[in-house]
Amino acid sequence: WVWADSWQLRRAAPNQAIEKIFRRMYRFGPRLELPVRQGSTPNEFSANLGNEFSELTPVKKELCTLSDFHNRAAYSQNPLTSPEQNDAIKIWLHLRRRLLLAWLKKVVNKIRYN
């Protein structure tokens, strides 16, 4: 699955890749019991998600980087470059693993305490 995800993101244009990454990040919101509010910006969502990992400073930095890439892709005249796309994919693959672990932790805690 990781290989297929990475391959699909690398084949996309840089701006499309970051958009796909953000859509995948948004899917984790409900799993982590983080409400995705209608009309919230990607920056607000990233900050909210970063609060879930408040003890992990690198995660907040990674989320900030992805938000910056997303803002450039969505609003700037200068599209993302291929090296930036590669950076975004590396960040996503690392972040996705942490998101999955956080989700599993929540599932286990629910089972344990219910």
Side-chain angles (χ1 to χ4, degrees):
W1 174 252
V2 173
W3 178 84
D5 189 29
S6 177
W7 178 79
Q8 184 183 32
L9 291 171
R10 289 183 200 292
R11 289 188 42 104
N15 285 0
Q16 291 173 334
I18 194 69
E19 191 62 39
K20 288 179 181 188
I21 288 170
F22 256 82
R23 275 189 259 132
R24 291 170 185 168
M25 281 175 40
Y26 274 108
R27 285 188 216 139
F28 274 98
R31 293 178 190 163
L32 296 173
E33 299 172 358
L34 298 171
V36 179
R37 293 179 198 95
Q38 189 76 2
S40 67
T41 67
N43 289 347
E44 291 169 335
F45 176 74
S46 293
N48 200 13
L49 191 57
N51 290 335
E52 185 73 16
F53 299 96
S54 58
E55 73 282 356
L56 299 173
T57 305
V59 172
K60 286 188 171 189
K61 184 179 178 188
E62 291 170 345
L63 286 165
C64 184
T65 301
L66 288 176
S67 289
D68 290 344
F69 285 159
H70 182 273
N71 289 337
R72 276 206 28 232
Y75 305 113
S76 175
Q77 296 292 333
N78 302 321
L80 293 179
T81 64
S82 291
E84 289 170 327
Q85 176 184 13
N86 290 333
D87 290 345
I89 293 168
K90 286 178 190 175
I91 290 170
W92 166 243
L93 295 176
H94 182 254
L95 181 62
R96 184 183 61 196
R97 185 177 68 232
R98 289 186 187 250
L99 292 170
L100 284 170
L101 290 174
W103 173 70
L104 286 173
K105 183 178 176 182
K106 284 197 182 281
V107 169
V108 168
N109 284 337
K110 279 185 178 182
I111 292 169
R112 184 182 296 160
Y113 297 114
N114 283 337

